């Protein structure tokens, strides 16, 4: 997300829904993988179109876009056609959406979804490619009520950048599964170590990403511990994992000049 948007309105929310799929692979499996893999980090050209449109509109409006998309067996998006682009909520229906529509169709072409999970989210893999119909993306502005509506449409909504990076520059709501987070944190630590002493800016960015993930892991573990039906052994294991996550987040936070929220009160 662009910093221009951050200074003006805090964040842009990007939600994805897959309503229908055609192809040789199980449609349910493809739908789940596509929704998980279609993160802002994996669809940066598409996000850039929305940022431009949102700024040009005076930071107003929201849209529901419907696409037909062709994905090759090598996870590359070969074509995309906008079949509908409808204003929702309090959007200004009289605004010309032609440039936004054209930008979106062009932005999708050539995007290669990662076959394995990376720092920007889960991967997507299909041996035979897929024709996707009624692939929906909700483009939403930064308002709490709209975030909640987006949360009802997609399992995890990325929100950011936050004004206070020490609370996590980018966050997912709700937090993602611990298995994915542990993997991403390990990758983040590896990238941060590889950039130490070489590129200070890149090293700082990798540390911030790792810190964001560690805070998300804390939130996920706290949410899991809120389940009163947890067996004692599981509760003990999760409590220990939470303490470890807090310790590691404090360590990474110290490296980027951040103190835990409780220490700043």
């Amino acid at each position: 997300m662009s910093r221009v948007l951050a200074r003006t309105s805090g964040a842009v929310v990007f939600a994805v829904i897959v309503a229908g799929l055609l192809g040789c692979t199980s449609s349910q499996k493809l739908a789940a993988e596509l929704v998980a893999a279609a993160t802002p980090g994996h669809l940066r050209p598409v996000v850039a179109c929305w940022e431009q449109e949102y700024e040009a509109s005076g930071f107003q409006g929201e849209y529901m876009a419907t696409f037909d998309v062709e994905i090759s067996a090598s996870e590359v998006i070969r074509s995309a056609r906008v079949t509908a682009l409808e204003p929702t909520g309090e959007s200004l229906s009289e605004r010309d959406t032609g440039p936004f529509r054209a930008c979106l169709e062009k932005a999708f072409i050539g995007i290669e979804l990662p076959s394995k999970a990376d720092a920007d989210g889960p991967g997507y893999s299909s041996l035979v490619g897929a024709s996707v119909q009624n692939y929906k993306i909700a483009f939403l502005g930064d308002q709490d009520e709209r975030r909640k509506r987006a949360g009802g449409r997609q399992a995890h909504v990325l929100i950011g950048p936050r004004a206070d990076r020490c609370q996590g520059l980018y966050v997912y709501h709700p937090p993602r599964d611990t298995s994915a987070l542990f993997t991403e944190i390990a990758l983040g630590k590896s990238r941060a170590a590889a950039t130490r002493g070489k590129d200070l800016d890149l090293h700082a960015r990798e540390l911030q990403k790792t810190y964001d993930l560690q805070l998300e892991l804390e939130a996920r573990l706290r949410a899991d511990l809120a389940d009163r039906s947890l067996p004692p052994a599981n509760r003990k294991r999760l409590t220990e994992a939470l303490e470890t996550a807090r310790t590691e987040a404090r360590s990474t936070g110290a490296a980027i000049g951040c103190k835990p929220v409780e220490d700043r009160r």
Side-chain angles (χ1 to χ4, degrees):
M1 309 298 172
S2 74
R3 294 188 181 279
V4 173
L5 289 175
R7 288 195 295 268
T8 305
S9 63
V12 172
V13 179
F14 183 83
V16 180
I17 312 122
V18 176
L21 289 163
L22 296 177
C24 298
T25 311
S26 164
S27 61
Q28 289 186 344
K29 181 176 182 293
L30 275 177
E33 288 189 1
L34 275 172
V35 170
T39 64
H42 291 160
L43 301 180
R44 294 184 192 280
V46 178
V47 175
C49 288
W50 173 228
E51 290 177 339
Q52 294 169 13
E53 170 64 22
Y54 195 57
E55 183 173 2
S57 68
F59 304 97
Q60 301 180 57
E62 60 185 30
Y63 296 90
M64 176 66 74
T66 306
F67 300 84
D68 287 349
V69 180
E70 294 284 339
I71 304 175
S72 72
S74 56
E75 293 84 41
V76 175
I77 298 177
R78 296 183 299 191
S79 66
R81 183 171 67 91
V82 178
T83 59
L85 183 59
E86 301 174 351
T88 59
E90 301 174 357
S91 298
L92 301 176
S93 58
E94 65 270 17
R95 180 171 173 77
D96 178 15
T97 59
F100 183 33
R101 178 188 294 261
C103 184
L104 290 173
E105 291 186 341
K106 183 178 180 181
F108 265 107
I109 298 174
I111 290 178
E112 182 176 358
L113 297 173
S115 58
K116 296 181 180 180
D118 59 17
D120 291 317
Y124 164 81
S125 179
S126 174
L127 296 177
V128 296
S131 296
V132 184
Q133 293 182 343
N134 296 327
Y135 185 86
K136 297 181 182 292
I137 296 180
F139 296 96
L140 309 176
D142 179 37
Q143 296 184 18
D144 289 340
E145 183 178 349
R146 293 175 183 179
R147 287 180 186 172
K148 292 176 182 177
R149 291 208 300 271
R153 298 170 185 165
Q154 183 193 15
H156 308 287
V157 177
L158 182 66
I159 300 172
R162 282 180 165 178
D164 183 0
R165 64 184 178 84
C166 292
Q167 294 185 39
L169 191 62
Y170 286 94
V171 296
Y172 278 89
H173 180 76
R176 293 166 293 170
D177 292 338
T178 54
S179 58
L181 290 171
F182 278 122
T183 299
E184 290 193 34
I185 288 171
L187 290 171
K189 288 180 178 179
S190 176
R191 284 191 296 269
T195 57
R196 184 182 295 116
K198 298 177 182 178
D199 186 325
L200 294 180
D201 288 340
L202 181 57
H203 181 60
R205 288 196 295 271
E206 294 299 344
L207 285 174
Q208 180 69 55
K209 290 179 182 178
T210 302
Y211 180 68
D212 291 357
L213 291 166
Q214 289 169 332
L215 293 183
E216 185 181 355
L217 177 60
E218 281 191 54
R220 176 72 269 166
L221 291 170
R222 285 196 300 270
D224 291 345
L225 280 167
D227 183 357
R228 296 183 178 181
S229 66
L230 275 177
N234 289 8
R235 185 171 298 280
K236 181 176 183 295
R237 177 178 57 81
L238 287 175
T239 300
E240 292 173 350
L242 177 58
E243 289 304 315
T244 299
R246 284 174 174 165
T247 299
E248 293 191 354
R250 284 172 182 264
S251 176
T252 306
I256 60 174
C258 286
K259 293 182 179 180
V261 174
E262 57 268 24
D263 291 353
R264 291 186 279 160
R265 293 173 181 170

